[in-house]
Amino acid sequence: MTTVRRVRMAAPERREQLIDVARSVFAERGYRGAAIEEIADRAGVSKPVVYQHFGGKEGLYAVVVDREVQRLTRAIAGSFEAVHPRLVAESAAEAFLTYIEDHEDGFRVLVRDAPVGASDGTLASVLDDVAVRAERLLVDEFGERGFDEDTAPMYARMLVGAVALVGEWWLEVREPPREVVAAHVVNLLWNGLRHLDATPAPDRRVPRTHQVGEQERPA
């Protein structure tokens, strides 16, 4: 372990530094493998300083996860400003992949192990929130098309789960580029296996101002 020279900081600045350092350690080692000693050492402080700010490893982990949950939720929430369902799917997939690309350590924290009994602040809880948003959109869409609106929650979770699983895979391979991955995800979600496009690309032709009753329907 390399000890960092101790530097005096104001309390808020120190707190932010510890959160940044802890995010990296939790991403590398997971919750169970991370140690307060290592976090303190990397930050150039003593263990009591970490306890003073967060009360212990679980408290520090909770703050790190909460930050990432809010960041990911905000990124995906903007996708639902688009009225056309295909654009929503495309925007959500690209927003998810952009978050992974820009905040790799944060996403690794979300997908790794958590404290026993933890339910809030996990990737599953974030995806459930996104699924609820998607569900509301699908209810309107299903109603317009004469489908059973009671099945919307099931379909919403299928869509969100597909994007999340692809995101975990893409975190490791990082190719093709995120916009290409998003286009392929939407190709499957929108067209289905039977009607896949041979060379999918982002659909920028559909106006974001389309109303539900006016939107194009898939074949």
Side-chain angles (χ1 to χ4, degrees):
M1 239 181 249
T2 302
T3 302
V4 179
R5 184 173 62 87
R6 296 186 180 183
V7 178
R8 293 185 64 84
M9 294 182 181
E13 187 180 4
R14 177 66 73 190
R15 180 181 173 85
E16 292 303 313
Q17 182 219 18
L18 289 171
I19 292 171
D20 289 341
V21 171
R23 183 187 298 111
S24 296
V25 175
F26 286 132
E28 291 173 23
R29 309 195 185 285
Y31 176 79
R32 295 174 184 81
I36 290 293
E37 292 87 347
E38 181 175 3
I39 294 170
D41 186 72
R42 289 196 192 186
V45 300
S46 61
K47 286 172 55 180
V49 172
V50 181
Y51 286 109
Q52 178 184 353
H53 281 277
F54 303 99
K57 186 169 76 168
E58 188 168 348
L60 178 52
Y61 177 83
V63 172
V64 170
V65 168
D66 184 64
R67 290 281 182 91
E68 295 310 311
V69 166
Q70 291 184 41
R71 184 176 282 154
L72 178 55
T73 301
R74 284 196 302 268
I76 297 177
S79 305
F80 291 89
E81 295 175 2
V83 177
H84 195 286
R86 177 163 185 161
L87 282 178
V88 171
E90 184 178 293
S91 297
E94 191 158 352
F96 199 104
L97 295 172
T98 299
Y99 165 79
I100 293 173
E101 187 171 62
D102 294 344
H103 306 284
E104 178 179 331
D105 279 354
F107 185 67
R108 288 187 185 280
V109 171
L110 292 179
V111 299
R112 296 199 64 156
D113 59 296
V116 175
S119 58
D120 295 332
T122 62
L123 181 61
S125 69
V126 178
L127 297 181
D128 189 65
D129 178 69
V130 175
V132 169
R133 294 171 183 266
E135 178 184 327
R136 298 190 192 112
L137 185 71
L138 288 179
V139 166
D140 293 337
E141 175 72 4
F142 280 19
E144 287 286 328
R145 302 191 65 182
F147 295 167
D148 182 0
E149 295 179 12
D150 290 339
T151 63
M154 176 172 60
Y155 278 91
R157 281 154 183 79
M158 289 180 195
L159 299 176
V160 172
V163 176
L165 191 58
V166 170
E168 288 192 57
W169 164 79
W170 188 73
L171 173 65
E172 303 302 333
V173 299
R174 293 304 182 91
E175 58 181 29
R178 69 168 185 266
E179 61 273 13
V180 175
V181 176
H184 279 277
V185 169
V186 176
N187 186 28
L188 174 60
L189 299 183
W190 189 255
N191 295 319
L193 288 172
R194 186 176 180 183
H195 301 290
L196 285 181
D197 291 331
T199 55
D203 188 348
R204 306 303 187 193
R205 297 170 299 170
V206 184
R208 292 180 180 273
T209 55
H210 267 201
Q211 298 301 309
V212 172
E214 301 171 347
Q215 62 201 28
E216 299 169 6
R217 309 297 187 191

